[in-house]
Amino acid sequence: MGASLNDVKHRITSTKKTRQITNAMEMVSQSKLNQIQKHTTSYDQYASQVKSVVLHLAQSHFLDGLTKTSGHSADNDQSSTKRTAYMIITSDRGMVGSYNSNVIRETNQFIDKHSGNSENFQILAVGGNGADFYKKQGRNVSYEYRGVSDVPTFNEVREIVKTATKMYDDGAFDELYVCYEHFVNRLTSKFRAEKMLPIDSESFESEASQDIETKQLSAAYDVEPSEKEVLNVVLPQYSESLVYGAILDAKTSEHASSATAMKSASDNADDLISALELQYNRARQAAITTEITEITGGQEALSQ
């Protein structure tokens, strides 16, 4: 019985130490979540302005024929299948609950729906979990980026966008989708797959039709020095803002998922400690009762 009591006591001590760790990790994740939410608020103002300009350009038909002049469009006219790339955003680390498994599962479903049985697609992995998963699956991981900051900077994303854009311009693929978990609240995230490339008027038709503010504004523009010059400045900024926004959004979901997972682990540790302490007290009480019974039995034997 003594060994059993020591084992239970050791488990209680060990579980309490684990709870201290998970509590600390929850506080760290919550702090990161608060930081990135403040950062996202200021970024959203910039992204909204860039999106507004691009939507206006689409309404003004400045984007019409943009892809018609590219080699991609010509290739697609001759082929019934498009070479698609999927940029999947995951975390580099674990202990983030079901975050990584959710985005990978949803991305796979989106790929199956979008690409069907075709194997003519490639993966651009932002985050180690996604890169490792698709490599093990034998998929074509043509690009991977690890070590995204907890609160990513805009300069980090420029490298990713420039690489993806160069691959597109070089004809590595015909279209690119960004797949990630959109942050709804601390307990909820929602999968998104947004088309990043090519950028043309068709990409904005649904957005423009739903954008009330854009509807109310005039779509007429006087362009100086030229439409081409405007597009050369605005479209790269739009691509950067789209991917940067997706990474910020995904990182927010990651921190929220991590905080929730650590809180759940702490709660489970509390439940286990309560159960172990009850088990310990019962075992200790049983041991004391046995000792009292043995002493009483011995006294009765001596008195006879």
Side-chain angles (χ1 to χ4, degrees):
M1 185 66 69
S4 177
L5 282 173
N6 287 334
D7 289 342
V8 175
K9 189 174 182 179
H10 177 73
R11 288 190 63 191
I12 292 173
T13 302
S14 176
T15 306
K16 285 183 177 179
K17 290 181 179 179
T18 300
R19 183 184 60 185
Q20 290 178 341
I21 295 172
T22 55
N23 279 337
M25 294 180 69
E26 179 190 353
M27 289 179 8
V28 170
S29 295
Q30 184 61 53
S31 175
K32 292 177 180 178
L33 177 60
N34 293 337
Q35 290 178 39
I36 200 168
Q37 283 182 309
K38 291 179 181 178
H39 188 72
T40 301
T41 300
S42 58
Y43 160 76
D44 284 343
Q45 298 175 358
Y46 163 78
S48 178
Q49 292 298 321
V50 174
K51 179 181 177 182
S52 177
V53 171
V54 175
L55 287 175
H56 281 205
L57 290 174
Q59 286 185 315
S60 300
H61 306 291
F62 285 1
L63 303 182
D64 290 354
L66 186 62
T67 56
K68 293 179 182 178
T69 60
S70 70
H72 299 282
S73 185
D75 291 340
N76 292 339
D77 292 339
Q78 299 173 4
S79 173
S80 59
T81 59
K82 291 183 178 180
R83 295 166 299 167
T84 305
Y86 302 94
M87 179 182 289
I88 177 172
I89 304 173
T90 60
S91 71
D92 289 309
R93 60 191 178 91
M95 293 184 289
V96 290
S98 59
Y99 171 79
N100 289 312
S101 59
N102 285 345
V103 68
I104 290 174
R105 183 186 68 255
E106 294 280 1
T107 298
N108 288 340
Q109 292 176 358
F110 180 76
I111 291 174
D112 290 340
K113 181 179 178 181
H114 188 74
S115 295
N117 295 325
S118 173
E119 296 292 329
N120 192 24
F121 68 87
Q122 54 189 284
I123 300 295
L124 281 64
V126 178
N129 271 272
D132 294 339
F133 173 83
Y134 285 105
K135 282 182 177 179
K136 290 180 181 178
Q137 295 292 316
R139 297 299 185 183
N140 178 17
V141 180
S142 57
Y143 173 76
E144 61 179 285
Y145 185 96
R146 299 172 186 257
V148 176
S149 303
D150 290 325
V151 182
T153 64
F154 197 76
N155 286 333
E156 286 184 80
V157 176
R158 280 182 174 169
E159 177 184 340
I160 299 172
V161 175
K162 286 181 179 179
T163 302
T165 303
K166 186 177 186 304
M167 292 173 69
Y168 172 78
D169 290 338
D170 291 343
F173 48 81
D174 301 310
E175 58 180 3
L176 174 64
Y177 285 87
V178 182
C179 304
Y180 64 100
E181 286 289 302
H182 163 62
F183 175 78
V184 178
N185 54 52
R186 175 166 170 168
L187 300 177
T188 308
S189 62
K190 185 177 180 180
F191 176 76
R192 280 186 177 176
E194 298 180 340
K195 190 174 182 179
M196 173 184 164
L197 294 170
I199 299 176
D200 52 33
S201 57
E202 293 181 1
S203 303
F204 303 101
E205 284 181 356
S206 60
E207 291 189 62
S209 64
Q210 297 173 6
D211 195 290
I212 299 175
E213 182 180 356
T214 303
K215 279 182 172 183
Q216 294 175 344
L217 296 176
S218 171
Y221 272 92
D222 291 326
V223 180
E224 186 178 342
S226 69
E227 297 175 6
K228 183 178 179 180
E229 293 295 330
V230 172
L231 294 176
N232 286 339
V233 173
V234 173
L235 293 186
Q237 290 185 14
Y238 179 78
S239 296
E240 291 174 351
S241 68
L242 178 63
V243 178
Y244 184 52
I247 292 176
L248 275 179
D249 203 350
K251 271 292 180 181
T252 305
S253 295
E254 177 189 332
H255 295 325
S257 182
S258 177
T260 301
M262 291 304 100
K263 184 179 187 307
S264 178
S266 297
D267 292 342
N268 290 338
D270 285 333
D271 294 340
L272 180 57
I273 290 170
S274 297
L276 288 172
E277 287 179 341
L278 180 60
Q279 179 183 347
Y280 177 81
N281 291 333
R282 285 177 175 175
R284 186 180 181 187
Q285 185 178 12
I288 294 173
T289 302
T290 300
E291 290 178 4
I292 292 174
T293 301
E294 290 175 352
I295 293 173
T296 302
Q299 288 178 341
E300 290 180 352
L302 291 174
S303 63
Q304 291 179 356

